[in-house]
Amino acid sequence: MKNNTFEYVVPCHFGMEAVLKREIMTLGYEIVNVADGRVTFRGDETAIARANIFLRTAERVLLCVGRFKARTFDELFEATKAIPWGDYIPVNGKFWVKKASTAKSQLFSSSDIQSIVKKAIVERLKMTYRVDWFKEDGDEYPLRVFIFKDEVTIALDTTGESLHKRGYRKLTGKAPVSETLAAALIMLTPWNKDRILVDPFCGSGTFPIEAAMIGANIAPGMNREFTAEAWKHLLPRKGWYDAVTEANDLIRNDVEMRIQGYDIDGEVIKVAMANAREAGVDHLIHFQQRPVSELRHPKKYGFIITNPPYGERLEEKEALPALYTDIGNAFRHLDSWSYYVLTSYEDAERYIGRKADKNRKIYNGMIKTYFYQFMGPKPPKKVDNRRFN
C-alpha cells in the first residue's frame, strides 16, 4: 500500500480478461497487468466496495498485501512474515489461507504453502500485538496465495461468496450457466439495450436477467453482502453506503427493452420468472413456454444468445442431432439475425447447418464448451429432421 493506493487482483473466467479489463477501466481504475484468468489494477480503498458492487464479470475481488519471489519454504516464511499484517488483521481477527495454487514453481505443495503462510502471519502478529495466542473470534480475513514462476502473491479475499452469487437466483434449472459467465458472454457480443434479445433455452433465466440488468444499468452486487464490509479500519461503512448510492443513482428506471426467454419446460419458466422478480427486472422480460422448433419473431433483426442442452447423459446425447437440427431450422426463419450459442456439443455446427463466423473456447465450470458466434445474414442450410426419427 502506497499513498492510500492498493493493488487488487480480480479473477475471471479464462478468455474473459478483455471484458473484465474494460469494466475496470470504465470504473476509472488503472490496469497493472492482464494474465490468464485474472486482471490486476490499482485503486484507493473505496475500490473494495465499488469493484465488488459494480463488476459483472469478476469472480471475486482480492486485495493484494504482498508480492515477492520464493523458491524455498524458508523464503516463503520470511517474506510473508515481513508483511505488516497488523495493518490488515486486528488482534481478534479470524484468518486462514482459504486456497493456495501454484504453477511452474519450486514450491508445489498447496497444503504446506497454506500452513507456512499461516505460521508466518501468526509470528508477525505476535510481535505486533505482543501476545502469544490469538482467540480469532472476530471478523473473518480469508487469504488466497498464488505462486507462478516462483513469484508469490498473497491477497485478502474481500468478497466472500463468489460474485456470481448475485442474490436473485434462488432456484436453478439443469446445468445452469453462471451469472458472471453469462454477463461476460453478453458483453462479448454487439447487443445493446435497444436491440431485441431472445434466449430459446432460457432455463432459470440467467441470460435474459443478466441482459436486463446490463440494459437497466443495475449493479450486480447491490443486493448481497461481502466479507470486507466488516473491515471498517480499511474501508469505513460510509464507503459502502456511497457505493450503493452511486449504483442506485445510475439505474435507468425508464428503460424499455425487448428481451424474451423461452423454454420447453413450463416449470423451468416459472423458476425463471421468480428469479427475474428477485432481480427486479421481471417487467423487462417476456418469458413463455415454447419449444425451439416454434421459434419465430416478426422483427427482421435481433440477437439470440443461448445455452442449449449439452447432452451430458447418454440418452440425452442421442437426442442432440435432432435438437440441433431444430435449432438450425429455427434460425433459418431469422436469417438476418445474429446468434450466439454456448455448448459443449462438438457437432453443433454440423447439425445447425452453418459454420460459425467465430468460435471461442470457454470453460463452463469444468466443462469445455464453445461459444459459436453466427453473425449473419447467412441462413443455415436446411437439415432433414426425419433422419433422426
PDB file of all heavy atoms in Angstrom, residues 168 204-205 208-213 216 218 223 252-253 255-261 269-288:
ATOM      1  N   TYR A 168     -30.203 -13.132  -6.677  1.00  0.00           N
ATOM      2  CA  TYR A 168     -31.536 -13.250  -7.275  1.00  0.00           C
ATOM      3  C   TYR A 168     -31.883 -14.682  -7.666  1.00  0.00           C
ATOM      4  O   TYR A 168     -33.055 -15.009  -7.819  1.00  0.00           O
ATOM      5  CB  TYR A 168     -31.686 -12.335  -8.499  1.00  0.00           C
ATOM      6  CG  TYR A 168     -30.854 -12.702  -9.716  1.00  0.00           C
ATOM      7  CD1 TYR A 168     -31.177 -13.790 -10.527  1.00  0.00           C
ATOM      8  CD2 TYR A 168     -29.756 -11.934 -10.085  1.00  0.00           C
ATOM      9  CE1 TYR A 168     -30.426 -14.105 -11.648  1.00  0.00           C
ATOM     10  CE2 TYR A 168     -29.000 -12.241 -11.214  1.00  0.00           C
ATOM     11  CZ  TYR A 168     -29.338 -13.332 -11.985  1.00  0.00           C
ATOM     12  OH  TYR A 168     -28.595 -13.638 -13.095  1.00  0.00           O
ATOM     13  N   SER A 204     -33.246 -21.254 -16.113  1.00  0.00           N
ATOM     14  CA  SER A 204     -33.631 -20.443 -14.960  1.00  0.00           C
ATOM     15  C   SER A 204     -33.531 -18.942 -15.223  1.00  0.00           C
ATOM     16  O   SER A 204     -33.696 -18.143 -14.315  1.00  0.00           O
ATOM     17  CB  SER A 204     -32.786 -20.821 -13.737  1.00  0.00           C
ATOM     18  OG  SER A 204     -31.411 -20.733 -14.034  1.00  0.00           O
ATOM     19  N   GLY A 205     -33.258 -18.576 -16.478  1.00  0.00           N
ATOM     20  CA  GLY A 205     -33.381 -17.171 -16.881  1.00  0.00           C
ATOM     21  C   GLY A 205     -32.119 -16.343 -16.819  1.00  0.00           C
ATOM     22  O   GLY A 205     -32.187 -15.113 -16.920  1.00  0.00           O
ATOM     23  N   PRO A 208     -31.346 -13.835 -20.024  1.00  0.00           N
ATOM     24  CA  PRO A 208     -32.273 -12.685 -20.082  1.00  0.00           C
ATOM     25  C   PRO A 208     -32.147 -11.755 -18.873  1.00  0.00           C
ATOM     26  O   PRO A 208     -32.201 -10.524 -19.031  1.00  0.00           O
ATOM     27  CB  PRO A 208     -33.656 -13.344 -20.132  1.00  0.00           C
ATOM     28  CG  PRO A 208     -33.413 -14.693 -20.717  1.00  0.00           C
ATOM     29  CD  PRO A 208     -32.070 -15.110 -20.194  1.00  0.00           C
ATOM     30  N   ILE A 209     -31.970 -12.310 -17.676  1.00  0.00           N
ATOM     31  CA  ILE A 209     -31.891 -11.482 -16.470  1.00  0.00           C
ATOM     32  C   ILE A 209     -30.618 -10.644 -16.486  1.00  0.00           C
ATOM     33  O   ILE A 209     -30.648  -9.434 -16.203  1.00  0.00           O
ATOM     34  CB  ILE A 209     -31.970 -12.351 -15.198  1.00  0.00           C
ATOM     35  CG1 ILE A 209     -33.372 -12.953 -15.062  1.00  0.00           C
ATOM     36  CG2 ILE A 209     -31.633 -11.521 -13.956  1.00  0.00           C
ATOM     37  CD1 ILE A 209     -33.489 -14.027 -13.991  1.00  0.00           C
ATOM     38  N   GLU A 210     -29.474 -11.261 -16.813  1.00  0.00           N
ATOM     39  CA  GLU A 210     -28.219 -10.508 -16.870  1.00  0.00           C
ATOM     40  C   GLU A 210     -28.289  -9.419 -17.942  1.00  0.00           C
ATOM     41  O   GLU A 210     -27.797  -8.306 -17.733  1.00  0.00           O
ATOM     42  CB  GLU A 210     -27.041 -11.446 -17.127  1.00  0.00           C
ATOM     43  CG  GLU A 210     -26.681 -12.335 -15.957  1.00  0.00           C
ATOM     44  CD  GLU A 210     -26.197 -11.559 -14.738  1.00  0.00           C
ATOM     45  OE1 GLU A 210     -25.425 -10.585 -14.899  1.00  0.00           O
ATOM     46  OE2 GLU A 210     -26.601 -11.911 -13.613  1.00  0.00           O
ATOM     47  N   ALA A 211     -28.903  -9.724 -19.089  1.00  0.00           N
ATOM     48  CA  ALA A 211     -29.051  -8.715 -20.148  1.00  0.00           C
ATOM     49  C   ALA A 211     -29.914  -7.559 -19.676  1.00  0.00           C
ATOM     50  O   ALA A 211     -29.596  -6.387 -19.918  1.00  0.00           O
ATOM     51  CB  ALA A 211     -29.657  -9.356 -21.395  1.00  0.00           C
ATOM     52  N   ALA A 212     -31.006  -7.871 -18.976  1.00  0.00           N
ATOM     53  CA  ALA A 212     -31.890  -6.814 -18.471  1.00  0.00           C
ATOM     54  C   ALA A 212     -31.162  -5.948 -17.450  1.00  0.00           C
ATOM     55  O   ALA A 212     -31.319  -4.717 -17.432  1.00  0.00           O
ATOM     56  CB  ALA A 212     -33.143  -7.435 -17.853  1.00  0.00           C
ATOM     57  N   MET A 213     -30.346  -6.567 -16.593  1.00  0.00           N
ATOM     58  CA  MET A 213     -29.587  -5.801 -15.602  1.00  0.00           C
ATOM     59  C   MET A 213     -28.546  -4.910 -16.282  1.00  0.00           C
ATOM     60  O   MET A 213     -28.327  -3.770 -15.865  1.00  0.00           O
ATOM     61  CB  MET A 213     -28.923  -6.739 -14.598  1.00  0.00           C
ATOM     62  CG  MET A 213     -29.916  -7.444 -13.687  1.00  0.00           C
ATOM     63  SD  MET A 213     -29.140  -8.626 -12.549  1.00  0.00           S
ATOM     64  CE  MET A 213     -28.296  -7.510 -11.434  1.00  0.00           C
ATOM     65  N   ALA A 216     -30.553  -2.016 -17.971  1.00  0.00           N
ATOM     66  CA  ALA A 216     -31.096  -1.068 -16.989  1.00  0.00           C
ATOM     67  C   ALA A 216     -30.008  -0.492 -16.086  1.00  0.00           C
ATOM     68  O   ALA A 216     -30.297   0.317 -15.206  1.00  0.00           O
ATOM     69  CB  ALA A 216     -32.161  -1.753 -16.142  1.00  0.00           C
ATOM     70  N   ILE A 218     -28.272  -1.911 -13.724  1.00  0.00           N
ATOM     71  CA  ILE A 218     -28.414  -2.328 -12.331  1.00  0.00           C
ATOM     72  C   ILE A 218     -27.128  -3.035 -11.919  1.00  0.00           C
ATOM     73  O   ILE A 218     -26.756  -4.059 -12.492  1.00  0.00           O
ATOM     74  CB  ILE A 218     -29.612  -3.274 -12.150  1.00  0.00           C
ATOM     75  CG1 ILE A 218     -30.916  -2.562 -12.540  1.00  0.00           C
ATOM     76  CG2 ILE A 218     -29.687  -3.788 -10.716  1.00  0.00           C
ATOM     77  CD1 ILE A 218     -32.128  -3.482 -12.583  1.00  0.00           C
ATOM     78  N   ASN A 223     -27.479  -6.221  -3.985  1.00  0.00           N
ATOM     79  CA  ASN A 223     -28.392  -6.878  -3.051  1.00  0.00           C
ATOM     80  C   ASN A 223     -27.768  -8.077  -2.354  1.00  0.00           C
ATOM     81  O   ASN A 223     -28.423  -9.084  -2.119  1.00  0.00           O
ATOM     82  CB  ASN A 223     -29.663  -7.304  -3.792  1.00  0.00           C
ATOM     83  CG  ASN A 223     -30.423  -6.111  -4.345  1.00  0.00           C
ATOM     84  OD1 ASN A 223     -30.683  -5.165  -3.617  1.00  0.00           O
ATOM     85  ND2 ASN A 223     -30.750  -6.159  -5.625  1.00  0.00           N
ATOM     86  N   ARG A 252     -31.294   2.914 -14.719  1.00  0.00           N
ATOM     87  CA  ARG A 252     -32.187   3.522 -15.718  1.00  0.00           C
ATOM     88  C   ARG A 252     -33.598   2.976 -15.488  1.00  0.00           C
ATOM     89  O   ARG A 252     -33.985   1.953 -16.069  1.00  0.00           O
ATOM     90  CB  ARG A 252     -31.725   3.177 -17.132  1.00  0.00           C
ATOM     91  CG  ARG A 252     -30.301   3.628 -17.456  1.00  0.00           C
ATOM     92  CD  ARG A 252     -29.938   3.208 -18.875  1.00  0.00           C
ATOM     93  NE  ARG A 252     -28.591   3.607 -19.219  1.00  0.00           N
ATOM     94  CZ  ARG A 252     -27.634   2.778 -19.632  1.00  0.00           C
ATOM     95  NH1 ARG A 252     -27.890   1.475 -19.725  1.00  0.00           N
ATOM     96  NH2 ARG A 252     -26.431   3.213 -19.943  1.00  0.00           N
ATOM     97  N   ASN A 253     -34.358   3.672 -14.661  1.00  0.00           N
ATOM     98  CA  ASN A 253     -35.691   3.184 -14.304  1.00  0.00           C
ATOM     99  C   ASN A 253     -36.689   3.283 -15.457  1.00  0.00           C
ATOM    100  O   ASN A 253     -37.707   2.589 -15.462  1.00  0.00           O
ATOM    101  CB  ASN A 253     -36.228   3.961 -13.087  1.00  0.00           C
ATOM    102  CG  ASN A 253     -35.499   3.584 -11.804  1.00  0.00           C
ATOM    103  OD1 ASN A 253     -35.397   2.407 -11.487  1.00  0.00           O
ATOM    104  ND2 ASN A 253     -34.989   4.574 -11.087  1.00  0.00           N
ATOM    105  N   VAL A 255     -36.051   2.648 -18.660  1.00  0.00           N
ATOM    106  CA  VAL A 255     -35.604   1.915 -19.837  1.00  0.00           C
ATOM    107  C   VAL A 255     -36.683   0.940 -20.311  1.00  0.00           C
ATOM    108  O   VAL A 255     -37.442   0.394 -19.512  1.00  0.00           O
ATOM    109  CB  VAL A 255     -34.286   1.164 -19.535  1.00  0.00           C
ATOM    110  CG1 VAL A 255     -34.531  -0.023 -18.612  1.00  0.00           C
ATOM    111  CG2 VAL A 255     -33.618   0.697 -20.814  1.00  0.00           C
ATOM    112  N   GLU A 256     -36.764   0.757 -21.612  1.00  0.00           N
ATOM    113  CA  GLU A 256     -37.653  -0.237 -22.201  1.00  0.00           C
ATOM    114  C   GLU A 256     -36.811  -1.184 -23.041  1.00  0.00           C
ATOM    115  O   GLU A 256     -35.975  -0.734 -23.823  1.00  0.00           O
ATOM    116  CB  GLU A 256     -38.726   0.436 -23.069  1.00  0.00           C
ATOM    117  CG  GLU A 256     -39.717   1.268 -22.271  1.00  0.00           C
ATOM    118  CD  GLU A 256     -40.800   1.874 -23.148  1.00  0.00           C
ATOM    119  OE1 GLU A 256     -40.853   1.499 -24.346  1.00  0.00           O
ATOM    120  OE2 GLU A 256     -41.564   2.711 -22.656  1.00  0.00           O
ATOM    121  N   MET A 257     -37.018  -2.484 -22.874  1.00  0.00           N
ATOM    122  CA  MET A 257     -36.234  -3.466 -23.626  1.00  0.00           C
ATOM    123  C   MET A 257     -37.135  -4.562 -24.167  1.00  0.00           C
ATOM    124  O   MET A 257     -38.223  -4.814 -23.631  1.00  0.00           O
ATOM    125  CB  MET A 257     -35.146  -4.060 -22.726  1.00  0.00           C
ATOM    126  CG  MET A 257     -33.969  -3.143 -22.494  1.00  0.00           C
ATOM    127  SD  MET A 257     -32.673  -3.907 -21.494  1.00  0.00           S
ATOM    128  CE  MET A 257     -33.296  -3.586 -19.858  1.00  0.00           C
ATOM    129  N   ARG A 258     -36.656  -5.194 -25.220  1.00  0.00           N
ATOM    130  CA  ARG A 258     -37.382  -6.311 -25.821  1.00  0.00           C
ATOM    131  C   ARG A 258     -36.529  -7.571 -25.643  1.00  0.00           C
ATOM    132  O   ARG A 258     -35.738  -7.935 -26.505  1.00  0.00           O
ATOM    133  CB  ARG A 258     -37.652  -6.028 -27.305  1.00  0.00           C
ATOM    134  CG  ARG A 258     -38.668  -4.905 -27.521  1.00  0.00           C
ATOM    135  CD  ARG A 258     -38.690  -4.430 -28.950  1.00  0.00           C
ATOM    136  NE  ARG A 258     -37.436  -3.750 -29.309  1.00  0.00           N
ATOM    137  CZ  ARG A 258     -37.138  -3.313 -30.524  1.00  0.00           C
ATOM    138  NH1 ARG A 258     -37.993  -3.498 -31.520  1.00  0.00           N
ATOM    139  NH2 ARG A 258     -35.984  -2.707 -30.766  1.00  0.00           N
ATOM    140  N   ILE A 259     -36.705  -8.184 -24.473  1.00  0.00           N
ATOM    141  CA  ILE A 259     -35.963  -9.398 -24.129  1.00  0.00           C
ATOM    142  C   ILE A 259     -36.976 -10.521 -23.906  1.00  0.00           C
ATOM    143  O   ILE A 259     -37.952 -10.340 -23.176  1.00  0.00           O
ATOM    144  CB  ILE A 259     -35.118  -9.194 -22.856  1.00  0.00           C
ATOM    145  CG1 ILE A 259     -34.102  -8.062 -23.063  1.00  0.00           C
ATOM    146  CG2 ILE A 259     -34.408 -10.477 -22.458  1.00  0.00           C
ATOM    147  CD1 ILE A 259     -33.331  -7.693 -21.818  1.00  0.00           C
ATOM    148  N   GLN A 260     -36.735 -11.649 -24.561  1.00  0.00           N
ATOM    149  CA  GLN A 260     -37.634 -12.793 -24.422  1.00  0.00           C
ATOM    150  C   GLN A 260     -36.854 -14.030 -23.993  1.00  0.00           C
ATOM    151  O   GLN A 260     -35.736 -14.259 -24.463  1.00  0.00           O
ATOM    152  CB  GLN A 260     -38.339 -13.101 -25.748  1.00  0.00           C
ATOM    153  CG  GLN A 260     -39.441 -12.107 -26.099  1.00  0.00           C
ATOM    154  CD  GLN A 260     -39.017 -11.150 -27.199  1.00  0.00           C
ATOM    155  OE1 GLN A 260     -38.431 -11.552 -28.190  1.00  0.00           O
ATOM    156  NE2 GLN A 260     -39.335  -9.879 -27.036  1.00  0.00           N
ATOM    157  N   GLY A 261     -37.453 -14.812 -23.103  1.00  0.00           N
ATOM    158  CA  GLY A 261     -36.877 -16.079 -22.678  1.00  0.00           C
ATOM    159  C   GLY A 261     -37.883 -17.192 -22.877  1.00  0.00           C
ATOM    160  O   GLY A 261     -39.010 -17.102 -22.386  1.00  0.00           O
ATOM    161  N   ILE A 269     -39.790 -22.331 -16.658  1.00  0.00           N
ATOM    162  CA  ILE A 269     -40.215 -20.951 -16.958  1.00  0.00           C
ATOM    163  C   ILE A 269     -40.700 -20.264 -15.678  1.00  0.00           C
ATOM    164  O   ILE A 269     -40.406 -19.081 -15.438  1.00  0.00           O
ATOM    165  CB  ILE A 269     -41.317 -20.937 -18.041  1.00  0.00           C
ATOM    166  CG1 ILE A 269     -40.717 -21.269 -19.404  1.00  0.00           C
ATOM    167  CG2 ILE A 269     -42.033 -19.590 -18.095  1.00  0.00           C
ATOM    168  CD1 ILE A 269     -39.765 -20.231 -19.946  1.00  0.00           C
ATOM    169  N   LYS A 270     -41.409 -21.001 -14.822  1.00  0.00           N
ATOM    170  CA  LYS A 270     -41.863 -20.425 -13.549  1.00  0.00           C
ATOM    171  C   LYS A 270     -40.663 -20.032 -12.678  1.00  0.00           C
ATOM    172  O   LYS A 270     -40.680 -18.993 -12.014  1.00  0.00           O
ATOM    173  CB  LYS A 270     -42.745 -21.427 -12.797  1.00  0.00           C
ATOM    174  CG  LYS A 270     -44.099 -21.673 -13.447  1.00  0.00           C
ATOM    175  CD  LYS A 270     -44.882 -22.721 -12.678  1.00  0.00           C
ATOM    176  CE  LYS A 270     -46.197 -23.058 -13.369  1.00  0.00           C
ATOM    177  NZ  LYS A 270     -46.913 -24.173 -12.688  1.00  0.00           N
ATOM    178  N   VAL A 271     -39.631 -20.874 -12.695  1.00  0.00           N
ATOM    179  CA  VAL A 271     -38.406 -20.571 -11.953  1.00  0.00           C
ATOM    180  C   VAL A 271     -37.764 -19.300 -12.486  1.00  0.00           C
ATOM    181  O   VAL A 271     -37.347 -18.408 -11.722  1.00  0.00           O
ATOM    182  CB  VAL A 271     -37.413 -21.758 -12.038  1.00  0.00           C
ATOM    183  CG1 VAL A 271     -36.036 -21.363 -11.524  1.00  0.00           C
ATOM    184  CG2 VAL A 271     -37.942 -22.956 -11.254  1.00  0.00           C
ATOM    185  N   ALA A 272     -37.678 -19.204 -13.813  1.00  0.00           N
ATOM    186  CA  ALA A 272     -37.069 -18.023 -14.442  1.00  0.00           C
ATOM    187  C   ALA A 272     -37.839 -16.752 -14.086  1.00  0.00           C
ATOM    188  O   ALA A 272     -37.230 -15.706 -13.795  1.00  0.00           O
ATOM    189  CB  ALA A 272     -37.027 -18.203 -15.959  1.00  0.00           C
ATOM    190  N   MET A 273     -39.152 -16.824 -14.090  1.00  0.00           N
ATOM    191  CA  MET A 273     -39.972 -15.652 -13.748  1.00  0.00           C
ATOM    192  C   MET A 273     -39.754 -15.241 -12.290  1.00  0.00           C
ATOM    193  O   MET A 273     -39.664 -14.051 -11.979  1.00  0.00           O
ATOM    194  CB  MET A 273     -41.446 -15.960 -14.012  1.00  0.00           C
ATOM    195  CG  MET A 273     -41.769 -16.147 -15.499  1.00  0.00           C
ATOM    196  SD  MET A 273     -43.441 -16.772 -15.809  1.00  0.00           S
ATOM    197  CE  MET A 273     -44.418 -15.325 -15.416  1.00  0.00           C
ATOM    198  N   ALA A 274     -39.632 -16.234 -11.396  1.00  0.00           N
ATOM    199  CA  ALA A 274     -39.385 -15.930  -9.976  1.00  0.00           C
ATOM    200  C   ALA A 274     -38.015 -15.276  -9.797  1.00  0.00           C
ATOM    201  O   ALA A 274     -37.867 -14.308  -9.039  1.00  0.00           O
ATOM    202  CB  ALA A 274     -39.481 -17.213  -9.146  1.00  0.00           C
ATOM    203  N   ASN A 275     -37.010 -15.784 -10.514  1.00  0.00           N
ATOM    204  CA  ASN A 275     -35.669 -15.200 -10.426  1.00  0.00           C
ATOM    205  C   ASN A 275     -35.650 -13.767 -10.958  1.00  0.00           C
ATOM    206  O   ASN A 275     -34.986 -12.893 -10.396  1.00  0.00           O
ATOM    207  CB  ASN A 275     -34.670 -16.057 -11.206  1.00  0.00           C
ATOM    208  CG  ASN A 275     -34.385 -17.392 -10.528  1.00  0.00           C
ATOM    209  OD1 ASN A 275     -34.618 -17.550  -9.333  1.00  0.00           O
ATOM    210  ND2 ASN A 275     -33.901 -18.357 -11.285  1.00  0.00           N
ATOM    211  N   ALA A 276     -36.370 -13.521 -12.044  1.00  0.00           N
ATOM    212  CA  ALA A 276     -36.434 -12.173 -12.616  1.00  0.00           C
ATOM    213  C   ALA A 276     -37.091 -11.196 -11.643  1.00  0.00           C
ATOM    214  O   ALA A 276     -36.678 -10.033 -11.538  1.00  0.00           O
ATOM    215  CB  ALA A 276     -37.189 -12.192 -13.947  1.00  0.00           C
ATOM    216  N   ARG A 277     -38.113 -11.674 -10.928  1.00  0.00           N
ATOM    217  CA  ARG A 277     -38.751 -10.818  -9.908  1.00  0.00           C
ATOM    218  C   ARG A 277     -37.756 -10.473  -8.816  1.00  0.00           C
ATOM    219  O   ARG A 277     -37.692  -9.319  -8.356  1.00  0.00           O
ATOM    220  CB  ARG A 277     -39.983 -11.512  -9.313  1.00  0.00           C
ATOM    221  CG  ARG A 277     -41.233 -11.443 -10.170  1.00  0.00           C
ATOM    222  CD  ARG A 277     -42.480 -11.841  -9.402  1.00  0.00           C
ATOM    223  NE  ARG A 277     -42.430 -13.233  -8.949  1.00  0.00           N
ATOM    224  CZ  ARG A 277     -42.813 -14.265  -9.675  1.00  0.00           C
ATOM    225  NH1 ARG A 277     -43.281 -14.088 -10.906  1.00  0.00           N
ATOM    226  NH2 ARG A 277     -42.742 -15.492  -9.194  1.00  0.00           N
ATOM    227  N   GLU A 278     -36.981 -11.471  -8.361  1.00  0.00           N
ATOM    228  CA  GLU A 278     -35.967 -11.230  -7.331  1.00  0.00           C
ATOM    229  C   GLU A 278     -34.946 -10.195  -7.790  1.00  0.00           C
ATOM    230  O   GLU A 278     -34.463  -9.387  -6.998  1.00  0.00           O
ATOM    231  CB  GLU A 278     -35.244 -12.540  -6.983  1.00  0.00           C
ATOM    232  CG  GLU A 278     -36.042 -13.500  -6.122  1.00  0.00           C
ATOM    233  CD  GLU A 278     -36.149 -13.027  -4.676  1.00  0.00           C
ATOM    234  OE1 GLU A 278     -35.317 -12.220  -4.251  1.00  0.00           O
ATOM    235  OE2 GLU A 278     -37.097 -13.470  -3.988  1.00  0.00           O
ATOM    236  N   ALA A 279     -34.603 -10.234  -9.086  1.00  0.00           N
ATOM    237  CA  ALA A 279     -33.604  -9.306  -9.634  1.00  0.00           C
ATOM    238  C   ALA A 279     -34.196  -7.935  -9.934  1.00  0.00           C
ATOM    239  O   ALA A 279     -33.453  -6.993 -10.243  1.00  0.00           O
ATOM    240  CB  ALA A 279     -32.990  -9.891 -10.902  1.00  0.00           C
ATOM    241  N   GLY A 280     -35.517  -7.804  -9.861  1.00  0.00           N
ATOM    242  CA  GLY A 280     -36.172  -6.524 -10.136  1.00  0.00           C
ATOM    243  C   GLY A 280     -36.264  -6.183 -11.607  1.00  0.00           C
ATOM    244  O   GLY A 280     -36.398  -5.009 -11.978  1.00  0.00           O
ATOM    245  N   VAL A 281     -36.219  -7.211 -12.479  1.00  0.00           N
ATOM    246  CA  VAL A 281     -36.255  -6.949 -13.928  1.00  0.00           C
ATOM    247  C   VAL A 281     -37.371  -7.725 -14.619  1.00  0.00           C
ATOM    248  O   VAL A 281     -37.385  -7.837 -15.850  1.00  0.00           O
ATOM    249  CB  VAL A 281     -34.898  -7.294 -14.593  1.00  0.00           C
ATOM    250  CG1 VAL A 281     -33.805  -6.364 -14.093  1.00  0.00           C
ATOM    251  CG2 VAL A 281     -34.517  -8.755 -14.366  1.00  0.00           C
ATOM    252  N   ASP A 282     -38.323  -8.264 -13.860  1.00  0.00           N
ATOM    253  CA  ASP A 282     -39.382  -9.078 -14.462  1.00  0.00           C
ATOM    254  C   ASP A 282     -40.230  -8.281 -15.451  1.00  0.00           C
ATOM    255  O   ASP A 282     -40.772  -8.830 -16.410  1.00  0.00           O
ATOM    256  CB  ASP A 282     -40.275  -9.707 -13.391  1.00  0.00           C
ATOM    257  CG  ASP A 282     -40.818  -8.693 -12.393  1.00  0.00           C
ATOM    258  OD1 ASP A 282     -40.016  -7.893 -11.863  1.00  0.00           O
ATOM    259  OD2 ASP A 282     -42.036  -8.692 -12.149  1.00  0.00           O
ATOM    260  N   HIS A 283     -40.313  -6.944 -15.258  1.00  0.00           N
ATOM    261  CA  HIS A 283     -41.104  -6.110 -16.174  1.00  0.00           C
ATOM    262  C   HIS A 283     -40.386  -5.878 -17.503  1.00  0.00           C
ATOM    263  O   HIS A 283     -40.991  -5.360 -18.450  1.00  0.00           O
ATOM    264  CB  HIS A 283     -41.409  -4.759 -15.516  1.00  0.00           C
ATOM    265  CG  HIS A 283     -40.190  -3.946 -15.189  1.00  0.00           C
ATOM    266  ND1 HIS A 283     -39.251  -4.357 -14.263  1.00  0.00           N
ATOM    267  CD2 HIS A 283     -39.738  -2.755 -15.665  1.00  0.00           C
ATOM    268  CE1 HIS A 283     -38.285  -3.459 -14.184  1.00  0.00           C
ATOM    269  NE2 HIS A 283     -38.550  -2.483 -15.025  1.00  0.00           N
ATOM    270  N   LEU A 284     -39.125  -6.265 -17.587  1.00  0.00           N
ATOM    271  CA  LEU A 284     -38.331  -6.039 -18.796  1.00  0.00           C
ATOM    272  C   LEU A 284     -38.185  -7.296 -19.648  1.00  0.00           C
ATOM    273  O   LEU A 284     -37.613  -7.237 -20.744  1.00  0.00           O
ATOM    274  CB  LEU A 284     -36.935  -5.531 -18.420  1.00  0.00           C
ATOM    275  CG  LEU A 284     -36.878  -4.208 -17.650  1.00  0.00           C
ATOM    276  CD1 LEU A 284     -35.456  -3.927 -17.184  1.00  0.00           C
ATOM    277  CD2 LEU A 284     -37.405  -3.069 -18.515  1.00  0.00           C
ATOM    278  N   ILE A 285     -38.689  -8.438 -19.165  1.00  0.00           N
ATOM    279  CA  ILE A 285     -38.500  -9.713 -19.862  1.00  0.00           C
ATOM    280  C   ILE A 285     -39.840 -10.411 -20.057  1.00  0.00           C
ATOM    281  O   ILE A 285     -40.661 -10.473 -19.141  1.00  0.00           O
ATOM    282  CB  ILE A 285     -37.571 -10.653 -19.056  1.00  0.00           C
ATOM    283  CG1 ILE A 285     -36.259  -9.951 -18.680  1.00  0.00           C
ATOM    284  CG2 ILE A 285     -37.272 -11.928 -19.854  1.00  0.00           C
ATOM    285  CD1 ILE A 285     -35.421 -10.730 -17.673  1.00  0.00           C
ATOM    286  N   HIS A 286     -40.030 -10.948 -21.255  1.00  0.00           N
ATOM    287  CA  HIS A 286     -41.208 -11.775 -21.526  1.00  0.00           C
ATOM    288  C   HIS A 286     -40.779 -13.233 -21.544  1.00  0.00           C
ATOM    289  O   HIS A 286     -39.979 -13.645 -22.382  1.00  0.00           O
ATOM    290  CB  HIS A 286     -41.834 -11.401 -22.873  1.00  0.00           C
ATOM    291  CG  HIS A 286     -42.924 -12.344 -23.308  1.00  0.00           C
ATOM    292  ND1 HIS A 286     -44.134 -12.428 -22.662  1.00  0.00           N
ATOM    293  CD2 HIS A 286     -42.961 -13.271 -24.313  1.00  0.00           C
ATOM    294  CE1 HIS A 286     -44.888 -13.352 -23.248  1.00  0.00           C
ATOM    295  NE2 HIS A 286     -44.192 -13.870 -24.256  1.00  0.00           N
ATOM    296  N   PHE A 287     -41.283 -14.016 -20.583  1.00  0.00           N
ATOM    297  CA  PHE A 287     -40.993 -15.453 -20.529  1.00  0.00           C
ATOM    298  C   PHE A 287     -42.198 -16.234 -21.041  1.00  0.00           C
ATOM    299  O   PHE A 287     -43.352 -15.858 -20.782  1.00  0.00           O
ATOM    300  CB  PHE A 287     -40.696 -15.896 -19.088  1.00  0.00           C
ATOM    301  CG  PHE A 287     -39.357 -15.444 -18.572  1.00  0.00           C
ATOM    302  CD1 PHE A 287     -39.267 -14.450 -17.608  1.00  0.00           C
ATOM    303  CD2 PHE A 287     -38.184 -16.018 -19.048  1.00  0.00           C
ATOM    304  CE1 PHE A 287     -38.037 -14.041 -17.120  1.00  0.00           C
ATOM    305  CE2 PHE A 287     -36.941 -15.608 -18.567  1.00  0.00           C
ATOM    306  CZ  PHE A 287     -36.871 -14.620 -17.607  1.00  0.00           C
ATOM    307  N   GLN A 288     -41.921 -17.337 -21.736  1.00  0.00           N
ATOM    308  CA  GLN A 288     -43.021 -18.139 -22.287  1.00  0.00           C
ATOM    309  C   GLN A 288     -42.558 -19.576 -22.516  1.00  0.00           C
ATOM    310  O   GLN A 288     -41.408 -19.811 -22.914  1.00  0.00           O
ATOM    311  CB  GLN A 288     -43.493 -17.550 -23.619  1.00  0.00           C
ATOM    312  CG  GLN A 288     -44.716 -18.241 -24.209  1.00  0.00           C
ATOM    313  CD  GLN A 288     -45.154 -17.603 -25.519  1.00  0.00           C
ATOM    314  OE1 GLN A 288     -44.867 -16.436 -25.774  1.00  0.00           O
ATOM    315  NE2 GLN A 288     -45.835 -18.355 -26.353  1.00  0.00           N
TER     316      GLN A 288
END
